[in-house]
């Protein structure tokens, strides 16, 4: 029996980074970044990815304050995910993953890898999504 892939989302105000697991659910792989326009268009792009790759679980990074509480950005992320859930089949599992320090980790990886400054903006959210998925897969 083939497993379904896991999709990770790093939802921001300007971009949504996406990463996906392999079919065995062992390794995260960067997908790409959606440059935000309107919620309807952004959600439509995510729904297309879900269909294209036969996604079974969505892991969405939940930005939390350092004390563990959910702040304004976390609330916006949860509202966006609620909209997404209206558009996808109910059997697709949606979970939140604490994403504190995922962007910082992504920046550190890009710096040590020598990624040019002009490319960083396009990659940061996708790499953060990889970290979100990696954290989820380690707990699984």
């Amino acid at each position: 029996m083939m497993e379904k892939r896991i999709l990770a989302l790093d939802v921001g105000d300007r971009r949504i980074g996406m990463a996906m697991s392999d079919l065995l659910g062992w390794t995260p792989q960067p997908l790409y970044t959606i440059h935000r326009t309107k919620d309807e268009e952004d959600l439509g792009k995510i729904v297309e990815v879900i269909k294209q790759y036969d996604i079974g679980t969505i892991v969405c990074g939940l930005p939390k304050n350092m004390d563990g509480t959910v702040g304004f950005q976390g609330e916006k992320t949860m509202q966006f995910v609620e909209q997404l859930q209206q558009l996808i089949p109910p059997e697709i599992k949606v979970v939140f993953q604490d994403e504190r320090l995922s962007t910082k980790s992504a920046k550190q990886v890009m710096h040590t890898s020598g990624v040019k400054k002009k490319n960083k903006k396009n990659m940061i959210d996708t790499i953060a999504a990889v970290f979100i998925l990696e954290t989820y897969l380690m707990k699984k």
Side-chain angles (χ1 to χ4, degrees):
M1 183 180 112
M2 269 181 62
E3 296 289 319
K4 291 190 177 249
R5 294 180 191 269
I6 302 166
L7 177 68
L9 303 175
D10 179 39
V11 180
D13 290 331
R14 294 190 185 108
R15 293 175 300 276
I16 300 171
M18 295 190 295
M20 182 176 61
S21 73
D22 64 336
L23 282 170
L24 297 174
W26 290 355
T27 59
Q29 304 161 350
L31 203 48
Y32 60 86
T33 298
I34 295 172
H35 294 272
R36 303 281 309 255
T37 52
K38 296 179 183 155
D39 278 358
E40 301 81 41
E41 290 177 26
D42 303 337
L43 290 163
K45 291 174 184 174
I46 295 169
V47 169
E48 283 304 310
V49 167
I50 291 167
K51 290 177 186 172
Q52 180 181 356
Y53 293 103
D54 194 26
I55 300 297
T57 303
I58 298 169
V59 179
C60 187
L62 183 61
K64 291 185 174 182
N65 300 319
M66 290 316 270
D67 66 1
T69 60
V70 176
F72 180 68
Q73 196 64 37
E75 293 289 338
K76 289 194 323 188
T77 299
M78 291 190 306
Q79 288 172 355
F80 183 82
V81 171
E82 280 179 29
Q83 292 178 61
L84 178 61
Q85 287 180 294
Q86 309 278 322
L87 302 173
I88 61 174
E91 62 270 10
I92 295 177
K93 181 177 158 186
V94 178
V95 296
F96 288 100
Q97 175 65 50
D98 184 351
E99 71 162 38
R100 281 179 283 184
L101 306 178
S102 65
T103 301
K104 184 177 181 182
S105 298
K107 285 179 181 176
Q108 200 169 15
V109 164
M110 288 193 305
H111 178 74
T112 56
S113 301
V115 175
K116 290 186 173 33
K117 189 172 183 168
K118 67 178 183 175
N119 296 331
K120 284 183 180 179
K121 194 185 286 188
N122 290 326
M123 295 173 64
I124 188 84
D125 302 289
T126 300
I127 295 172
V130 168
F131 278 106
I132 291 165
L133 183 53
E134 190 172 59
T135 302
Y136 175 79
L137 293 174
M138 285 191 297
K139 291 179 174 182
K140 208 174 102 167

